Amino acid sequence: MRVEVWADVVCPWAYIGKRRLERALADSPESRAEVVWRPFRIDPMAPERAVPLSEELRDPVVDAALSQCAPGVSPAENRVRVSRIAEEEGIGTRWGAAWRADSHAAHRLLALALDSGGSLVQGAVAEGVMRAHFVEGRDISAHEVLADIARQAGFPQGGALLSEGAGDRTVRESLLSGKARGVKSSPTLVIAGRSLTGAQPAEVIGEFLRHSEGRKERNVPAEVERFRQAEALLDLGDPLGCLTLLAPLLEEQGEDRGVRLLAGRAYFRSAQLTRAETVLERLVAESPDDSYARLLLGRTLERQGRDAEAAVHLRVAAAMTPAYER
């Protein structure tokens, strides 16, 4: 059984959730699980160079970002609660992040650790990163700090890989994948399509594990899953995210009509009208009876101020599908 933990390493509840998941697994020896960490960002606007958190907490924008760790609870209340609970969970009496740090590099390190050493090495890196941030007061956006954490976790090549820029695309695509799958808070546990949101008590997590035992992951080809997630992002109003996930499919399956039509829709929604026109003109030429492609092409031309050209396609589309008539 694979347990995916979608979490941000700068979210205190992610660290508490890690401890509770570990206890739930220890209390349920029959639940043999591989724990894999996936990225989530609660503060994507964190500065590239870390700044003292005590100063930043006076900024309401930062408080709003941190509220994603505990929806419905004010960040100030959350900080008091989490400090007490962290001590109860045995994480440490000295608790509290010292820096507002960009977690992107840390997520890259986690992705690289999984790829290079598997889930056990990744778990050791996750522990090291969160301990450094919340207990040791270190700046986890600094590559030298992450390189040290990687060495201690048995991943000595991690620092060099970070310096080379490795893992960036993996993390960016994973963030989009999580969004497409409906992950909205840190932490969120996912097992075979079932999810449990928040750092729930170990007993609740244990029950979730037991009910998930034996469930199988959907056996869907990777390219099909990527297409579905790209389409979901477009439906969520993120056409640029859609195009990011769609890019490999356009390279590998550029002749697939469904892939091209989704790209055309995303180009149109992101106001890349010249690209949309190029894709849609070819689709209409190949299948003149595709009323939706004609409709979208007409609207693309219309948005460019080419009303006469647009009218031809819009009339044909409406004739084939009356619902398209204005």
Side-chain angles (χ1 to χ4, degrees), residues 218-293:
R218 292 179 301 167
N219 189 21
V220 177
E223 62 272 16
V224 174
E225 185 64 21
R226 179 179 283 270
F227 180 87
R228 290 177 178 175
Q229 290 180 2
E231 193 169 37
L233 288 171
L234 186 62
D235 291 341
L236 288 169
D238 186 359
L240 295 178
C242 168
L243 288 166
T244 297
L245 287 190
L246 205 58
L249 297 182
L250 285 169
E251 292 177 9
E252 299 164 10
Q253 303 177 29
E255 294 305 307
D256 183 275
R257 186 173 182 83
V259 170
R260 286 184 287 145
L261 181 57
L262 182 56
R265 291 170 58 199
Y267 287 138
F268 176 77
R269 292 278 296 278
S270 60
Q272 299 182 64
L273 301 179
T274 300
R275 289 182 174 179
E277 180 185 351
T278 299
V279 170
L280 294 167
E281 275 190 335
R282 184 179 170 195
L283 289 171
V284 168
E286 292 171 352
S287 299
D289 59 345
D290 186 335
S291 61
Y292 180 72

Side-chain angles (χ1 to χ4, degrees), residues 298-317:
R299 289 180 176 173
T300 298
L301 295 168
E302 193 174 52
R303 285 181 64 179
Q304 295 179 77
R306 295 156 63 185
D307 293 347
E309 295 172 74
V312 175
H313 295 289
L314 293 174
R315 280 198 301 270
V316 173

